[in-house]
Amino acid sequence: MSKFKKKKSGDMPAVNTASLPDIVFMLLFFFMVATVMRQNTLMIQNNLPFADQVEKLDKKDLVMYIYAGKPSANYKQYGTEAKIQLNDKFADVNEIAAFIAAERASKREELIPFLTTALKVDSDANMGLIGDIKQELRKVNALKINYTVKKGSVFGNK
Amino acid sequence: MAKRAAPEVNAGSMADIAFLLLIFFLVTTTIETDSGINRKLPPMEESEEDVIIKQKNIFTVLLNGKDQLLVEDDLMELKNLRKAAIEFLDNGGDGTCNYCKGKKDPTSSDNPDKAIISLKNERETSYKTYIAVQNELVAAYNDLRNKRAQSLYGEPFSEMEANYKDVNWPGNKEKLKEKIEQIKLEYPQKLSEVQ
């Protein structure tokens, strides 16, 4: 009888986890390579609208970002009206000219005509604010603009 | 000196360290949206002489503060806008446009070169509606260009443009650019915004 008992007593062998670090490292490298660090900390709600006739913005270094939207929950003290954000702080419409000039100064001279202004505006913002931004951009001759949107059907906007 | 074996470093916690880093990168990763609708603003200095444009060559789109759409003085649903714009652009009323497939209605636009879409919005219009309308109007132009390119060169316009931007595309870029310019000439994007 002891013959049979002996077999039963064997435990489940432990799963070999020696290759676990390799798998984790693989994932780690993927995310390290794919990560794009955010340039700006958003202080506004930025829920972009949907559209489907989109073109890609390919040269990241030739894009100037202007954000607009309602102040997010942490910045309630700034009110509920949509505001403009440039770099890391709220800005007024008349600061756009200075912002564009500063961005242009930081780029090489021959690249300046190719600069695009990307407008990342919350879908609930009013066109009045965007009209003001566009007017300012026209004044400083920054005419190439891009309305940044999420890819999807426009009928999903409602 | 007797050779002494170096003590083995315990690598058991390597996985934990790697996990820590992995979780950090997982949390900080944001998939950035970097695509959108490209537009060009009109330059500031306006030409003094008034260009006279016939009323029938203008397609007026008005967006009011309640996000309602008024096209050529009629209320319209957003989903019908693209079709209406295509009909207007592709009308070819004066017969000079031999590639137009429209109704040749004499009360609508003369030819795609003269047809202008005028978009006006109010300050209270919401941004998402504005983008939706912009998108539909751009789509009308793209639809027409795609159809024209398909019948001329056997491939849609959007594909030709994608090929032109693609650095690995093997074909002749000079020729492709000519084709693209030809299509753009036949259906120029004349979309003006009223301030």
Side-chain angles (χ1 to χ4, degrees), chain A residues 48-53 123 149-158, chain B residues 67 69 76-84 128-137 139-140 143:
Chain A
L48 299 172
F50 290 97
D52 49 16
Q53 307 293 320
S123 45
V149 294
K150 281 189 253 176
K151 220 172 168 192
S153 165
V154 288
F155 302 108
N157 276 337
K158 296 232 167 90
Chain B
D67 289 351
L69 196 59
M76 188 180 273
E77 292 280 320
L78 180 64
K79 61 177 190 287
N80 300 327
L81 177 64
R82 189 187 301 198
K83 202 168 152 252
K128 58 185 173 196
T129 319
Y130 172 77
I131 285 295
V133 169
Q134 278 270 1
N135 182 67
E136 288 306 291
L137 295 177
D143 268 15

Side-chain angles (χ1 to χ4, degrees), chain A residues 9 43 51-52 88 95 99 114 116 134-136 141-142 144 153:
Chain A
S9 72
M43 298 160 80
D52 49 16
D88 275 341
E95 287 170 53
F99 167 74
F114 301 104
T116 308
K134 285 201 287 193
Q135 201 58 28
E136 282 297 313
N141 215 30
K144 280 174 80 173
S153 165

